[in-house]
Amino acid sequence: GQNIDQPTEMTATEGAIVQINCTYQTSGFNGLFWYQQHAGEAPTFLSYNVLDGLEEKGRFSSFLSRSKGYSYLLLKELQMKDSASYLCVLNTDKLIFGTGTRLQVFP
Amino acid sequence: DAGVIQSPRHEVTEMGQEVTLRCKPISGHDYLFWYRQTMMRGLELLIYFNNNVPIDDSGMPEDRFSAKMPNASFSTLKIQPSEPRDSAVYFCASSLTRSTDTQYFGPGTRLTVL
């Protein structure tokens, strides 16, 4: 089966950098998504990694290491609006969602 | 495009009643997914359709749950009879082609069963 582990909660300060880690166990997968979900709203797509390495998209970057079973989402220049849950998602024959990391950004 | 549309946004019902949740996917998307989200278990896939045909319903918790997709623009998730443990947010999502493409989520239906 598949298993995804991420920290339950994190806090950070506006303007800072935060890294949200995700480790997983799976027999095989196509890639790994990161989704953002604000409280009371639907998840929205942030990034998708297929190959090992870093994918950069503005203030957000996502990294994947298949050999280590590890991914992270890096958020730079944090803003208050970045307070949300961040979901690590394995792309197998269907999507397997982690329980998410709730990030709180303080002024 | 209006995105994925779900109704109702909130539903409060009493145990034993039938509940029907509705979803309209993004036009042109071939795949439709129903998820349930709770604090304890996170997002769980219940069932998904490809071109209106159910492909994988292994996530449907029990026979009280059923889902249909009579045409490309409409799907329902029905719970009969409902129980308090069914209280959750139910999301519908759609994707363009393959089941592993980026999924676009609707706003969700918050269900409370008393």
Side-chain angles (χ1 to χ4, degrees), chain A residues 15-68:
Chain A
I17 299 173
V18 71
Q19 178 173 312
I20 302 174
N21 296 324
C22 170
T23 58
Y24 58 86
Q25 296 83 42
T26 181
S27 56
F29 67 109
N30 302 307
L32 189 146
F33 286 99
W34 283 93
Y35 274 77
Q36 180 190 58
Q37 185 176 24
H38 285 98
E41 297 183 11
T44 55
F45 169 81
L46 279 182
S47 67
Y48 183 50
N49 291 70
V50 176
L51 303 176
D52 283 5
L54 190 68
E55 294 279 345
E56 297 187 74
K57 186 186 292 186
R59 295 189 298 113
F60 293 4
S61 302
S62 57
F63 173 84
L64 176 66
S65 170
R66 287 177 175 266
S67 61
K68 295 182 179 178

Side-chain angles (χ1 to χ4, degrees), chain A residues 40-42, chain B residues 3-7 9 89-92 105-110:
Chain A
E41 297 183 11
Chain B
V4 177
I5 299 172
Q6 290 186 248
S7 65
R9 294 293 308 277
V89 180
Y90 291 81
F91 286 104
C92 175
F105 283 75
T109 296
R110 181 173 294 276

Side-chain angles (χ1 to χ4, degrees), chain A residues 35 37 42 91-92 94-95, chain B residues 37 45 56 58 99-100 103 106:
Chain A
Y35 274 77
Q37 185 176 24
N91 179 0
T92 61
K94 50 193 176 186
L95 298 188
Chain B
Q37 187 174 37
L45 178 66
D56 184 345
S58 59
S99 61
T100 50
Q103 294 183 17

